[in-house]
Amino acid sequence: MTNADTATTTAPDARAERRAKRIAKHLSSFAAQHGGSADGVVEYVGAIGTRIVLVGADGAWGDQVAPSYPVGLRAAELAGITLHDSFEGELGLKVKTGPYEWKRMAGIQI
């Protein structure tokens, strides 16, 4: 294996790690602003990437998009996010919605 081969095989991993660290900063910031911790789910959304849905300790929710599922998982790991298998059950019950969310969910019906 030549130096050129080594550079091409490690460059994508280094790039993915940099992306994960950048996303992790956003996840950590969300957790800090919403009670100091967050739970989440990493969901594959197709060719555009992966969605990391977060629920803060105070019940606020948000999301962040990662370019791939492995990058999303790594970002959540770096940020110390407690991951769940799905958004149902315990995690879904933690979400607190307000008038803004209800209005957005209802669309033009309100």
Side-chain angles (χ1 to χ4, degrees), residues 16-76:
E17 184 68 12
R18 284 192 308 274
R19 286 180 168 180
K21 286 179 180 178
R22 188 170 44 246
I23 293 166
K25 286 181 185 179
H26 294 284
L27 302 179
S28 295
S29 176
F30 176 88
Q33 292 174 12
H34 296 285
S37 66
D39 291 81
V41 175
V42 179
E43 300 174 325
Y44 177 74
V45 291
I48 62 167
T50 297
R51 182 177 184 210
I52 306 163
V53 181
L54 300 169
V55 179
D58 65 356
W61 64 279
D63 66 351
Q64 183 76 41
V65 176
S68 68
Y69 193 82
V71 170
L73 284 176
R74 179 67 178 142

Side-chain angles (χ1 to χ4, degrees), residues 4 6 13 15 41 44-45 59 82 89 94 99:
T6 303
D13 293 339
R15 185 176 182 197
V41 175
Y44 177 74
V45 291
T82 302
K94 289 183 179 183

